Amino acid sequence: MLTIFYILLLIDFGRCSDHQIFDTKNVAVGQNVTLNCSRDHRLLLTELFWIRLVSQSFPEVLGSTMSHDSSITQKTHHITTKQEPGTFVLHINRAQLSDTAVYYCIKESQLTMTFLKGTFLRVKGPDPGITGVTQDSLSNPVHPGDPVTLQCSVLSNSENRTCTEDHSVYWYRAKPDESHPSLIYSHGNNSYYCERSSEAPSQQKCVYSFSRSVSSSHTGTYYCAVATCGEILFGNGAKLDIEVPVVHHWDLQKTNTIVFLLCVALSINLIVIAFLIYTIKEKNKTSAAFSVKTNTETTSEEQQIQQRHEDSLAYAAPTFTKRNTRKAERRNARATEKICIYSDVRASECGKSDA
């Protein structure tokens, strides 16, 4: 705020002979505010301006008028500018917290600008009674996977508290590669504990904790923000540095050697397994062929032995000699059943004889 003021003072607006006034005014939210800037109605070629300066914003022209009498009224939102006898008035209806700024009345005459009056208007809301927000520093560096606990302490004084609204605590992370902080966590009703000071019972300290296991992407500065009664108070911030282990060159070579040896051992195991499988298959084939051959030879031998037994059988057939018989005997013979009688059956093996 002061930086903008000094920059404006360094700009060559020309010399002025008017009496300059700068004051400070404190008002509560909802209160009406009136700022006056003296004017001379006899000056015909003079203009008056009310402008507002807010930190990190461009100056805003709220209204302008000629120095001589005019009935023109200008209104911007809830701010009105108009002439009254001998003065150029800026009126703020029901001031808001956003109306906190520096207000300047500027006179422009013959291409020369003069600051007539400056007022720093501070609009205050209900006092939450918070006297400070602090954060504990972290023990750096932290390695990936380590648990980290962030703590935020909120100090308050119940004697100065005029706001009955409870405060809320949020955690933000700001990273160097991000333009805006990102919200990462908000506390519930049971995620903190409070204690009162033994020396001053009106003093109270509430501690909020936030824990997480970090990785390399969690690097940044963490801020706790306390929101209450239309205000936001930030802590001092805690920087978190994540240290990623560096793999040295000799460690990399050692790792590559171990991997190579493991690959070689795996290849040898695969070759041995393939050889064993091939050997087992060939052995099974040989056993099956030998079994078939043995069965074939056994069957052939049995057939040969059976053939020899059949060849060694000797058959004897009876020989009948025809005789002249009588007719009566022939009739009796026909009537009698024919009987074939073998005289002898003998089995012998080659090279052996029976007695």
Side-chain angles (χ1 to χ4, degrees):
M1 188 74 68
L2 293 178
T3 303
I4 298 175
F5 175 67
Y6 292 146
I7 292 175
L8 291 176
L9 291 181
L10 292 176
I11 300 176
D12 186 11
F13 290 115
R15 296 180 179 272
C16 65
S17 57
D18 299 278
H19 183 61
Q20 295 177 316
I21 300 174
F22 188 90
D23 60 1
T24 301
K25 180 176 288 189
N26 297 321
V27 297
V29 173
Q31 185 177 344
N32 295 330
V33 179
T34 300
L35 303 178
N36 297 308
C37 178
S38 62
R39 67 180 179 87
D40 190 347
H41 65 279
R42 296 170 299 178
L43 301 176
L44 300 179
L45 301 177
T46 301
E47 285 189 273
L48 298 176
F49 299 88
W50 273 111
I51 67 172
R52 177 168 63 181
L53 297 179
V54 181
S55 178
Q56 299 181 355
S57 298
F58 286 103
E60 180 183 4
V61 179
L62 301 176
S64 63
T65 186
M66 300 300 295
S67 184
H68 62 80
D69 293 340
S70 174
S71 60
I72 298 176
T73 300
Q74 294 178 327
K75 187 174 182 179
T76 304
H77 303 298
H78 59 293
I79 298 176
T80 304
T81 59
K82 64 180 181 178
Q83 285 189 9
E84 291 185 359
T87 184
F88 181 37
V89 178
L90 181 144
H91 180 75
I92 302 177
N93 184 33
R94 298 180 63 85
Q96 304 172 5
L97 290 175
S98 59
D99 293 327
T100 299
V102 177
Y103 295 82
Y104 282 105
C105 178
I106 300 176
K107 181 181 75 171
E108 188 275 326
S109 177
Q110 298 179 357
L111 302 180
T112 300
M113 299 187 71
T114 304
F115 286 87
L116 298 180
K117 184 178 181 180
T119 301
F120 174 53
L121 179 64
R122 179 184 296 162
V123 182
K124 300 182 63 177
D127 191 353
I130 296 177
T131 59
V133 179
T134 60
Q135 292 180 236
D136 294 340
S137 59
L138 298 174
S139 57
N140 291 312
V142 179
H143 299 89
D146 292 347
V148 173
T149 299
L150 302 173
Q151 286 190 343
C152 177
S153 300
V154 180
L155 305 178
S156 60
N157 190 340
S158 59
E159 290 182 353
N160 300 330
R161 183 180 177 89
T162 59
C163 175
T164 58
E165 180 183 344
D166 293 333
H167 58 265
S168 302
V169 177
Y170 305 89
W171 286 97
Y172 290 85
R173 180 182 63 199
K175 300 182 68 174
D177 56 347
E178 294 180 353
S179 57
H180 300 286
S182 56
L183 175 65
I184 60 174
Y185 185 75
S186 60
H187 283 277
N189 296 329
N190 299 322
S191 57
Y192 66 96
Y193 69 92
C194 298
E195 59 182 5
R196 294 189 176 274
S197 173
S198 57
E199 299 177 356
S202 61
Q203 298 288 334
Q204 181 177 259
K205 178 181 179 181
C206 296
V207 179
Y208 296 81
S209 299
F210 167 54
S211 301
R212 75 186 312 175
S213 295
V214 298
S215 63
S216 58
S217 62
H218 293 151
T219 300
T221 303
Y222 290 77
Y223 296 92
C224 69
V226 181
T228 180
C229 302
E231 296 184 4
I232 299 179
L233 303 176
F234 285 89
N236 53 321
K239 189 175 182 181
L240 178 63
D241 294 325
I242 310 297
E243 185 178 76
V244 180
V246 179
V247 180
H248 298 285
H249 183 65
W250 64 273
D251 289 335
L252 185 60
Q253 288 183 343
K254 185 177 180 181
T255 303
N256 292 336
T257 303
I258 294 175
V259 172
F260 175 75
L261 293 177
L262 290 176
C263 291
V264 171
L266 180 61
S267 301
I268 294 175
N269 288 335
L270 292 176
I271 293 173
V272 171
I273 292 172
F275 176 76
L276 292 175
I277 293 174
Y278 174 78
T279 303
I280 292 172
K281 287 185 176 181
E282 290 297 324
K283 186 175 180 181
N284 291 337
K285 289 181 180 180
T286 304
S287 299
F290 179 76
S291 176
V292 172
K293 183 178 179 181
T294 303
N295 294 335
T296 303
E297 291 178 353
T298 303
T299 304
S300 177
E301 183 178 354
E302 291 177 353
Q303 291 177 353
Q304 291 178 1
I305 294 173
Q306 184 178 358
Q307 185 65 35
R308 285 199 301 268
H309 287 172
E310 291 178 355
D311 293 341
S312 61
L313 292 177
Y315 300 92
T319 302
F320 299 94
T321 304
K322 293 183 179 181
R323 293 185 301 177
N324 293 326
T325 58
R326 298 178 181 178
K327 293 181 181 181
E329 292 177 355
R330 284 197 298 268
R331 286 193 301 264
N332 294 332
R334 290 189 189 133
T336 305
E337 185 180 358
K338 295 181 181 180
I339 301 175
C340 295
I341 301 175
Y342 295 89
S343 61
D344 189 11
V345 176
R346 177 181 297 178
S348 63
E349 297 182 1
C350 296
K352 295 183 181 180
S353 61
D354 295 334

